[in-house]
Amino acid sequence: MDNLKEKTVKGLAWGAVNNGATQVLNLVFGIFLGRLLSADDYGILALITIFTLLAGCIQAAGFSQALANLKPPTQRDYNAVAWFNILAGLLLYAVLFLCAPLIADFFNQPLLTDVSRLTFLCIPISAVSIVPNAKLWIELRQREQAIAGITALTLSGCCGVWLAWHGYGYWSLAWQQVIYSTVSVVFKYYFTHWTPTLPVDFSPIRSMFRFSSKMLLTNMLTVVSQNVLTFIFGKLLPIATVGLFNQANKWNTMGSSFISNTMAQVAQPVLASINDEDNRQQRIFRKMLRFTSFIAFPLMFGLALVAHEFILLTVGPTWERCVPLLQILCLGGSCLPIHTLYQNLIISRGRSDIYLRMVSLQILLQIGITLSLAPQGVTAMVTAFSLLNILFTLCWHLALNRICPLRLTDSLRDTLPFATIAAVCMAVTHLLTIWTDTLWLLLLVRIAIAVLLYASVMKLLHAKTFDECLQFILHRHQQ
């Protein structure tokens, strides 16, 4: 148990380093690209993102999660999955290459044909790295994942900025994605020292298919859920409006994915490795839930608080119209890390069927509500989307309760105090900072006051999660 705790803590620490560095780099490169590129450039790439992500789900086919649930996976299992992913990636690229003109016609954007064919190269490239990435994930080697991700993001970001500076427009965003995928593959193979071999036995694929097929459908629906607004906007609204929403959603996703990805990197492997004796799995889950709430609510509410000055100071006044969208998205985004944690516990129990049904319900509600509010405009659609994300947290709890006796009162006790305190701290911060209109001063003062207020309240209330975080930081500093 101590060994598992140590691995979990180290995994969370390196996961935080990885995601923190990723968000900082995304911030830096996002600032440069936001000032060099137009809303139309972002809109063009946003239209084809959903196709790339869906193809990535199909090629992975849910086998990463299936491998994590094996105790333990063998070389034969890894090899079968690797060759399946590679062949699927090549086939999908060929299909999308041929379908590129149809995609361009659907959105009435002829230039999508060539740029999509370049961007879709990420699919066969990423297919090669699925098994090495799964090995690093299952073995909780977040340090190596951090190095690979940060290096790939740095090199690809620099290339993207250089191309944008020289006037390549949306092509700079496409090449940035291709370079990121390529560098990431190289580093993950280097760290795992693993390569697929011949001959290949595909029989492990058949044995894992019942579980992985549900994960495949669920992952595809998750992608649709996360990109449904972009897809609908691309068909109904001007390309510039799609770009504005994409810019707002990018910053919202950066905030929510910081904690989501940090927890996801350790949650399923850790929870799947636990025999649920004396409700041990439930206790660990609740501890993760408290930590997630402790970070997610102040981070996302804080981003909503400083959204106006943040956007103006970073990507510039050109993007000011995306500020209200970003603030609305942040409210719903605060619950997404909690959704991720519920999902990982359900998957660790081998219940990909429940996961599939829940994501299917969520996507149907999102599409129905969004289309019904289309005449009301983009703000109404985004508001409904965020409210659904908040309310759907209860649905995830009810789904989990079918297989894990976690009481709703316990879940609320683990989340609501952090949400309430974070909201109050941000409201007080807003009132204390209305005396200045100087953007840079307003941003710095709001961040400082919000952090100080939140930390002080946590300390005064003797929040155990806050104390444990402080003890860990101090312990690492002493070492």
Side-chain angles (χ1 to χ4, degrees), residues 76-93:
R76 182 165 156 265
D77 298 323
Y78 283 126
N79 198 54
V81 171
W83 282 111
F84 177 88
N85 294 151
I86 292 170
L87 294 174
L90 293 172
L91 178 60
L92 285 167
Y93 179 73

PDB file of all heavy atoms in Angstrom, residues 76-93:
ATOM      1  N   ARG A  76       3.107 -10.129 -25.973  1.00  0.00           N
ATOM      2  CA  ARG A  76       2.187 -10.560 -27.026  1.00  0.00           C
ATOM      3  C   ARG A  76       0.994  -9.614 -27.133  1.00  0.00           C
ATOM      4  O   ARG A  76       0.552  -9.278 -28.235  1.00  0.00           O
ATOM      5  CB  ARG A  76       1.713 -11.988 -26.700  1.00  0.00           C
ATOM      6  CG  ARG A  76       0.774 -12.610 -27.714  1.00  0.00           C
ATOM      7  CD  ARG A  76       0.704 -14.112 -27.460  1.00  0.00           C
ATOM      8  NE  ARG A  76      -0.530 -14.677 -27.972  1.00  0.00           N
ATOM      9  CZ  ARG A  76      -1.627 -14.873 -27.261  1.00  0.00           C
ATOM     10  NH1 ARG A  76      -1.637 -14.541 -25.969  1.00  0.00           N
ATOM     11  NH2 ARG A  76      -2.707 -15.407 -27.805  1.00  0.00           N
ATOM     12  N   ASP A  77       0.478  -9.151 -25.987  1.00  0.00           N
ATOM     13  CA  ASP A  77      -0.629  -8.203 -25.986  1.00  0.00           C
ATOM     14  C   ASP A  77      -0.210  -6.871 -26.610  1.00  0.00           C
ATOM     15  O   ASP A  77      -0.912  -6.326 -27.466  1.00  0.00           O
ATOM     16  CB  ASP A  77      -1.126  -7.961 -24.552  1.00  0.00           C
ATOM     17  CG  ASP A  77      -1.664  -9.213 -23.892  1.00  0.00           C
ATOM     18  OD1 ASP A  77      -2.293 -10.015 -24.600  1.00  0.00           O
ATOM     19  OD2 ASP A  77      -1.447  -9.390 -22.680  1.00  0.00           O
ATOM     20  N   TYR A  78       0.938  -6.370 -26.177  1.00  0.00           N
ATOM     21  CA  TYR A  78       1.428  -5.095 -26.699  1.00  0.00           C
ATOM     22  C   TYR A  78       1.664  -5.168 -28.205  1.00  0.00           C
ATOM     23  O   TYR A  78       1.330  -4.242 -28.944  1.00  0.00           O
ATOM     24  CB  TYR A  78       2.731  -4.703 -25.999  1.00  0.00           C
ATOM     25  CG  TYR A  78       2.557  -4.142 -24.609  1.00  0.00           C
ATOM     26  CD1 TYR A  78       3.243  -4.677 -23.518  1.00  0.00           C
ATOM     27  CD2 TYR A  78       1.729  -3.039 -24.370  1.00  0.00           C
ATOM     28  CE1 TYR A  78       3.104  -4.144 -22.248  1.00  0.00           C
ATOM     29  CE2 TYR A  78       1.581  -2.513 -23.105  1.00  0.00           C
ATOM     30  CZ  TYR A  78       2.267  -3.062 -22.042  1.00  0.00           C
ATOM     31  OH  TYR A  78       2.118  -2.541 -20.780  1.00  0.00           O
ATOM     32  N   ASN A  79       2.267  -6.253 -28.655  1.00  0.00           N
ATOM     33  CA  ASN A  79       2.623  -6.373 -30.070  1.00  0.00           C
ATOM     34  C   ASN A  79       1.372  -6.405 -30.952  1.00  0.00           C
ATOM     35  O   ASN A  79       1.323  -5.760 -32.014  1.00  0.00           O
ATOM     36  CB  ASN A  79       3.451  -7.641 -30.283  1.00  0.00           C
ATOM     37  CG  ASN A  79       4.213  -7.621 -31.583  1.00  0.00           C
ATOM     38  OD1 ASN A  79       4.952  -6.686 -31.858  1.00  0.00           O
ATOM     39  ND2 ASN A  79       4.027  -8.640 -32.402  1.00  0.00           N
ATOM     40  N   ALA A  80       0.360  -7.144 -30.519  1.00  0.00           N
ATOM     41  CA  ALA A  80      -0.878  -7.225 -31.294  1.00  0.00           C
ATOM     42  C   ALA A  80      -1.550  -5.863 -31.404  1.00  0.00           C
ATOM     43  O   ALA A  80      -1.998  -5.454 -32.491  1.00  0.00           O
ATOM     44  CB  ALA A  80      -1.830  -8.232 -30.652  1.00  0.00           C
ATOM     45  N   VAL A  81      -1.606  -5.144 -30.291  1.00  0.00           N
ATOM     46  CA  VAL A  81      -2.228  -3.823 -30.296  1.00  0.00           C
ATOM     47  C   VAL A  81      -1.442  -2.857 -31.176  1.00  0.00           C
ATOM     48  O   VAL A  81      -2.025  -2.054 -31.926  1.00  0.00           O
ATOM     49  CB  VAL A  81      -2.352  -3.275 -28.858  1.00  0.00           C
ATOM     50  CG1 VAL A  81      -2.785  -1.813 -28.869  1.00  0.00           C
ATOM     51  CG2 VAL A  81      -3.334  -4.111 -28.049  1.00  0.00           C
ATOM     52  N   ALA A  82      -0.109  -2.925 -31.105  1.00  0.00           N
ATOM     53  CA  ALA A  82       0.724  -2.011 -31.895  1.00  0.00           C
ATOM     54  C   ALA A  82       0.468  -2.174 -33.383  1.00  0.00           C
ATOM     55  O   ALA A  82       0.258  -1.185 -34.106  1.00  0.00           O
ATOM     56  CB  ALA A  82       2.196  -2.250 -31.585  1.00  0.00           C
ATOM     57  N   TRP A  83       0.487  -3.413 -33.882  1.00  0.00           N
ATOM     58  CA  TRP A  83       0.283  -3.633 -35.308  1.00  0.00           C
ATOM     59  C   TRP A  83      -1.141  -3.276 -35.736  1.00  0.00           C
ATOM     60  O   TRP A  83      -1.362  -2.745 -36.832  1.00  0.00           O
ATOM     61  CB  TRP A  83       0.603  -5.083 -35.677  1.00  0.00           C
ATOM     62  CG  TRP A  83       2.081  -5.329 -35.774  1.00  0.00           C
ATOM     63  CD1 TRP A  83       2.858  -6.086 -34.941  1.00  0.00           C
ATOM     64  CD2 TRP A  83       2.966  -4.783 -36.758  1.00  0.00           C
ATOM     65  NE1 TRP A  83       4.168  -6.051 -35.334  1.00  0.00           N
ATOM     66  CE2 TRP A  83       4.262  -5.261 -36.455  1.00  0.00           C
ATOM     67  CE3 TRP A  83       2.803  -3.937 -37.857  1.00  0.00           C
ATOM     68  CZ2 TRP A  83       5.381  -4.934 -37.214  1.00  0.00           C
ATOM     69  CZ3 TRP A  83       3.912  -3.604 -38.618  1.00  0.00           C
ATOM     70  CH2 TRP A  83       5.181  -4.097 -38.300  1.00  0.00           C
ATOM     71  N   PHE A  84      -2.106  -3.545 -34.867  1.00  0.00           N
ATOM     72  CA  PHE A  84      -3.484  -3.158 -35.182  1.00  0.00           C
ATOM     73  C   PHE A  84      -3.584  -1.635 -35.337  1.00  0.00           C
ATOM     74  O   PHE A  84      -4.210  -1.126 -36.278  1.00  0.00           O
ATOM     75  CB  PHE A  84      -4.431  -3.633 -34.080  1.00  0.00           C
ATOM     76  CG  PHE A  84      -5.862  -3.209 -34.292  1.00  0.00           C
ATOM     77  CD1 PHE A  84      -6.734  -3.988 -35.034  1.00  0.00           C
ATOM     78  CD2 PHE A  84      -6.340  -2.015 -33.753  1.00  0.00           C
ATOM     79  CE1 PHE A  84      -8.049  -3.592 -35.243  1.00  0.00           C
ATOM     80  CE2 PHE A  84      -7.656  -1.606 -33.957  1.00  0.00           C
ATOM     81  CZ  PHE A  84      -8.510  -2.401 -34.703  1.00  0.00           C
ATOM     82  N   ASN A  85      -2.977  -0.893 -34.401  1.00  0.00           N
ATOM     83  CA  ASN A  85      -3.025   0.567 -34.459  1.00  0.00           C
ATOM     84  C   ASN A  85      -2.347   1.112 -35.710  1.00  0.00           C
ATOM     85  O   ASN A  85      -2.856   2.037 -36.357  1.00  0.00           O
ATOM     86  CB  ASN A  85      -2.351   1.162 -33.218  1.00  0.00           C
ATOM     87  CG  ASN A  85      -3.084   0.869 -31.930  1.00  0.00           C
ATOM     88  OD1 ASN A  85      -2.479   0.782 -30.872  1.00  0.00           O
ATOM     89  ND2 ASN A  85      -4.391   0.698 -32.002  1.00  0.00           N
ATOM     90  N   ILE A  86      -1.200   0.549 -36.065  1.00  0.00           N
ATOM     91  CA  ILE A  86      -0.457   1.025 -37.232  1.00  0.00           C
ATOM     92  C   ILE A  86      -1.258   0.811 -38.514  1.00  0.00           C
ATOM     93  O   ILE A  86      -1.392   1.716 -39.350  1.00  0.00           O
ATOM     94  CB  ILE A  86       0.914   0.331 -37.314  1.00  0.00           C
ATOM     95  CG1 ILE A  86       1.803   0.795 -36.152  1.00  0.00           C
ATOM     96  CG2 ILE A  86       1.588   0.621 -38.654  1.00  0.00           C
ATOM     97  CD1 ILE A  86       3.083   0.013 -36.002  1.00  0.00           C
ATOM     98  N   LEU A  87      -1.802  -0.381 -38.676  1.00  0.00           N
ATOM     99  CA  LEU A  87      -2.591  -0.676 -39.880  1.00  0.00           C
ATOM    100  C   LEU A  87      -3.852   0.184 -39.930  1.00  0.00           C
ATOM    101  O   LEU A  87      -4.232   0.696 -40.991  1.00  0.00           O
ATOM    102  CB  LEU A  87      -2.954  -2.156 -39.908  1.00  0.00           C
ATOM    103  CG  LEU A  87      -1.774  -3.130 -40.074  1.00  0.00           C
ATOM    104  CD1 LEU A  87      -2.245  -4.573 -39.945  1.00  0.00           C
ATOM    105  CD2 LEU A  87      -1.087  -2.915 -41.418  1.00  0.00           C
ATOM    106  N   ALA A  88      -4.498   0.353 -38.780  1.00  0.00           N
ATOM    107  CA  ALA A  88      -5.702   1.181 -38.733  1.00  0.00           C
ATOM    108  C   ALA A  88      -5.379   2.634 -39.070  1.00  0.00           C
ATOM    109  O   ALA A  88      -6.144   3.312 -39.777  1.00  0.00           O
ATOM    110  CB  ALA A  88      -6.354   1.094 -37.359  1.00  0.00           C
ATOM    111  N   GLY A  89      -4.235   3.132 -38.587  1.00  0.00           N
ATOM    112  CA  GLY A  89      -3.845   4.508 -38.862  1.00  0.00           C
ATOM    113  C   GLY A  89      -3.604   4.761 -40.338  1.00  0.00           C
ATOM    114  O   GLY A  89      -4.024   5.790 -40.887  1.00  0.00           O
ATOM    115  N   LEU A  90      -2.934   3.829 -41.000  1.00  0.00           N
ATOM    116  CA  LEU A  90      -2.681   3.967 -42.439  1.00  0.00           C
ATOM    117  C   LEU A  90      -3.986   3.928 -43.235  1.00  0.00           C
ATOM    118  O   LEU A  90      -4.176   4.709 -44.180  1.00  0.00           O
ATOM    119  CB  LEU A  90      -1.740   2.868 -42.912  1.00  0.00           C
ATOM    120  CG  LEU A  90      -0.301   2.953 -42.367  1.00  0.00           C
ATOM    121  CD1 LEU A  90       0.481   1.691 -42.741  1.00  0.00           C
ATOM    122  CD2 LEU A  90       0.396   4.201 -42.911  1.00  0.00           C
ATOM    123  N   LEU A  91      -4.863   3.012 -42.868  1.00  0.00           N
ATOM    124  CA  LEU A  91      -6.140   2.896 -43.575  1.00  0.00           C
ATOM    125  C   LEU A  91      -6.990   4.163 -43.393  1.00  0.00           C
ATOM    126  O   LEU A  91      -7.583   4.673 -44.362  1.00  0.00           O
ATOM    127  CB  LEU A  91      -6.900   1.674 -43.068  1.00  0.00           C
ATOM    128  CG  LEU A  91      -8.300   1.440 -43.675  1.00  0.00           C
ATOM    129  CD1 LEU A  91      -8.195   1.248 -45.187  1.00  0.00           C
ATOM    130  CD2 LEU A  91      -8.977   0.246 -43.021  1.00  0.00           C
ATOM    131  N   LEU A  92      -7.034   4.670 -42.179  1.00  0.00           N
ATOM    132  CA  LEU A  92      -7.840   5.861 -41.909  1.00  0.00           C
ATOM    133  C   LEU A  92      -7.302   7.080 -42.658  1.00  0.00           C
ATOM    134  O   LEU A  92      -8.071   7.907 -43.159  1.00  0.00           O
ATOM    135  CB  LEU A  92      -7.873   6.144 -40.405  1.00  0.00           C
ATOM    136  CG  LEU A  92      -8.776   5.216 -39.593  1.00  0.00           C
ATOM    137  CD1 LEU A  92      -8.499   5.376 -38.109  1.00  0.00           C
ATOM    138  CD2 LEU A  92     -10.241   5.513 -39.895  1.00  0.00           C
ATOM    139  N   TYR A  93      -5.977   7.197 -42.731  1.00  0.00           N
ATOM    140  CA  TYR A  93      -5.425   8.329 -43.473  1.00  0.00           C
ATOM    141  C   TYR A  93      -5.799   8.251 -44.947  1.00  0.00           C
ATOM    142  O   TYR A  93      -6.149   9.278 -45.566  1.00  0.00           O
ATOM    143  CB  TYR A  93      -3.903   8.390 -43.335  1.00  0.00           C
ATOM    144  CG  TYR A  93      -3.324   9.554 -44.120  1.00  0.00           C
ATOM    145  CD1 TYR A  93      -3.486  10.858 -43.662  1.00  0.00           C
ATOM    146  CD2 TYR A  93      -2.666   9.353 -45.325  1.00  0.00           C
ATOM    147  CE1 TYR A  93      -2.993  11.941 -44.380  1.00  0.00           C
ATOM    148  CE2 TYR A  93      -2.167  10.426 -46.058  1.00  0.00           C
ATOM    149  CZ  TYR A  93      -2.340  11.720 -45.573  1.00  0.00           C
ATOM    150  OH  TYR A  93      -1.864  12.781 -46.307  1.00  0.00           O
TER     151      TYR A  93
END
